[in-house]
C-alpha cells in the first residue's frame, strides 16, 4: 500500500510501462502492473508478468478506477495491465463535446 501524490512517476517492475499519477485518493492504494507492485523510476525491475494481467497499457491513455478518484497517465506502454487494490483500471473515456445546435 502506498500513499500517492499527483505528479509522482512510477514504472512497472515486470514490463516497460511507465506512468504518472494525475490524481490520487487520500487513502493508501495498492497499484500493480502485470500483477506486480509499481516501483520508483530509479529502481530496477525484475520478475515476470502474471498470466491474468497481460492486457497491456497504451501511451497517452488515462487509466481510472471505478470510484474515479485515481487517475494515472501512461507515458510508456508495456504488456502488463494496471490494477488498483485488485480491480483492473479502465481507460478513461473522452468528454463529449457540447452540442452545436
Amino acid at each position: 500500500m502506498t500513499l500517492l501524490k499527483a505528479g509522482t512517476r512510477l514504472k512497472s517492475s515486470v514490463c516497460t510501462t511507465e506512468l504518472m499519477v494525475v490524481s490520487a485518493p487520500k487513502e493508501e492504494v495498492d497499484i500493480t502492473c502485470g500483477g506486480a507492485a509499481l516501483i520508483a523510476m530509479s529502481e530496477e525491475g525484475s520478475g515476470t508478468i502474471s498470466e491474468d494481467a497481460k492486457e497491456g497499457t497504451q501511451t497517452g491513455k488515462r487509466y481510472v478506477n471505478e470510484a474515479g478518484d485515481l487517475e494515472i497517465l501512461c507515458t510508456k506502454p508495456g504488456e502488463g495491465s494496471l490494477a488498483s487494490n485488485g480491480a483492473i483500471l479502465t481507460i478513461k473515456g473522452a468528454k463529449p463535446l457540447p452540442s452545436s445546435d
Side-chain angles (χ1 to χ4, degrees):
M1 295 279 201
T2 306
L3 186 61
L4 297 173
K5 294 185 343 184
T8 302
R9 295 193 64 205
L10 301 166
K11 68 179 185 180
S12 171
S13 62
V14 294
C15 70
T16 58
T17 299
E18 292 183 6
L19 311 159
M20 184 171 74
V21 177
V22 175
S23 65
K26 294 181 179 173
E27 61 271 359
E28 293 185 343
V29 293
D30 183 25
I31 300 177
T32 59
C33 182
L38 296 176
I39 58 176
M41 296 299 285
S42 59
E43 296 180 39
E44 289 292 323
S46 64
T48 58
I49 299 173
S50 174
E51 287 296 322
D52 59 346
K54 286 187 166 183
E55 295 190 19
T57 54
Q58 300 173 31
T59 300
K61 297 295 182 186
R62 293 173 183 248
Y63 293 85
V64 295
N65 64 356
E66 190 172 334
D69 58 353
L70 173 64
E71 184 173 329
I72 297 174
L73 173 65
C74 178
T75 57
K76 187 175 178 183
E79 296 177 11
S81 55
L82 297 169
S84 169
N85 294 332
I88 297 292
L89 298 181
T90 58
I91 294 176
K92 183 178 181 181
K95 290 182 181 177
L97 296 173
S99 175
S100 61
D101 293 338

